[in-house]
Amino acid sequence: EIVMTQSPATLSVSPGERATLSCRASQSVSSNLAWYQQKPGQAPRLLIYGASTRATGIPARFSGSGSGTEFTLTISSLQSEDFAVYYCQQYNNWPPWSFGQGTKLEIK
Amino acid sequence: EVQLVQSGAEVKKPGATVKISCKVSGYTFTDYYMHWVQQAPGKGLEWMGLVDPEDGETIYAEKFQGRVTITADTSTDTAYMELSSLRSEDTAVYYCATDVWRDSPGGWFDPWGQGTLVTVSS
């Protein structure tokens, strides 16, 4: 089973600044990695797939990079609506489909 | 518009069984695998299993094997997740989510249902 590890657990950033979230896989997942955003009381929403492709309707301030075992989600200029929990997910080796434990992005 | 609409919140006693539904609209139900994901309060996302609505074939996570049953009713375009022998640790929000790959699992999940809260308490 592939274990996904996200860091940091909590990230405090001011609006307008850049946020960088990390995700590491216990073994290579190639580029088969997705990022989701989850706000309180809501279902996860797809942001990025294929490690770097934005989903439909996702603003350009969201970008993903990486391959193999190291991945990054960058939000270039934080807006108030971006403060949420972010999860990475690998879909390279399944079952199971595995998620990271999440990074909470909070307002500084 | 693609939509996954789940059934409402449930309160169950320990040892009971819960069955949650996920009704699909906006796409051909049998074309895409359906996953179920558990999220305990304040915790992350955990994959439980999937069903191929075309033929009912299932794959379950080891953690839930033996207690979870995922089915699909093609007459109503609805997927179901049944969890038995409930215990307090099963208190969670349960989501259905569509695999993006047509006729095959192995992709990311999009879209997701709105979630169903199951509370297990005596």
Side-chain angles (χ1 to χ4, degrees), chain B residues 10-90:
Chain B
E10 303 261 12
V11 179
K12 296 291 184 181
K13 294 192 183 303
T17 296
V18 69
K19 189 171 184 177
I20 300 167
S21 66
C22 171
K23 183 166 177 59
V24 166
S25 61
Y27 71 86
T28 302
F29 181 55
T30 51
D31 281 352
Y32 298 90
Y33 286 66
M34 185 67 74
H35 299 266
W36 288 86
V37 176
Q38 180 193 60
Q39 186 170 39
K43 302 296 185 182
L45 303 166
E46 185 160 17
W47 180 78
M48 301 178 69
L50 64 77
V51 64
D52 177 0
E54 176 77 39
D55 61 9
E57 182 180 348
T58 53
I59 304 175
Y60 299 129
E62 271 192 41
K63 174 180 176 179
F64 299 99
Q65 188 84 38
R67 287 205 303 138
V68 68
T69 304
I70 299 174
T71 56
D73 182 347
T74 57
S75 68
T76 59
D77 290 350
T78 303
Y80 296 91
M81 189 282 292
E82 184 175 85
L83 189 61
S84 62
S85 303
L86 289 169
R87 38 209 188 222
S88 58
E89 310 89 87
D90 296 321

Side-chain angles (χ1 to χ4, degrees), chain A residues 48-62:
Chain A
I48 301 280
Y49 60 90
S52 61
T53 303
R54 280 190 303 278
T56 302
I58 301 304
R61 64 180 181 273
F62 290 89

Side-chain angles (χ1 to χ4, degrees), chain A residues 7-43:
Chain A
S7 61
T10 303
L11 182 62
S12 299
V13 183
S14 300
E17 293 190 341
R18 173 188 298 255
T20 302
L21 290 67
S22 296
C23 174
R24 173 177 292 178
S26 60
Q27 63 188 80
S28 177
V29 297
S30 186
S31 294
N32 295 315
L33 184 108
W35 290 94
Y36 300 88
Q37 176 193 67
Q38 187 178 36
K39 297 180 179 179
Q42 296 185 17

Side-chain angles (χ1 to χ4, degrees), chain A:
Chain A
E1 173 178 344
I2 296 179
V3 176
M4 308 300 292
T5 303
Q6 292 185 241
S7 61
T10 303
L11 182 62
S12 299
V13 183
S14 300
E17 293 190 341
R18 173 188 298 255
T20 302
L21 290 67
S22 296
C23 174
R24 173 177 292 178
S26 60
Q27 63 188 80
S28 177
V29 297
S30 186
S31 294
N32 295 315
L33 184 108
W35 290 94
Y36 300 88
Q37 176 193 67
Q38 187 178 36
K39 297 180 179 179
Q42 296 185 17
R45 177 176 73 141
L46 177 70
L47 295 177
I48 301 280
Y49 60 90
S52 61
T53 303
R54 280 190 303 278
T56 302
I58 301 304
R61 64 180 181 273
F62 290 89
S63 63
S65 63
S67 66
T69 62
E70 300 284 344
F71 300 89
T72 300
L73 175 69
T74 302
I75 311 170
S76 60
S77 178
L78 280 163
Q79 307 296 302
S80 58
E81 62 265 30
D82 299 335
F83 293 95
V85 179
Y86 292 83
Y87 293 96
C88 60
Q89 177 207 25
Q90 71 83 21
Y91 50 92
N92 190 68
N93 284 48
W94 50 266
W97 283 254
S98 44
F99 296 87
Q101 80 279 19
T103 291
K104 182 179 181 181
L105 181 57
E106 64 176 27
I107 300 174
K108 186 174 183 180

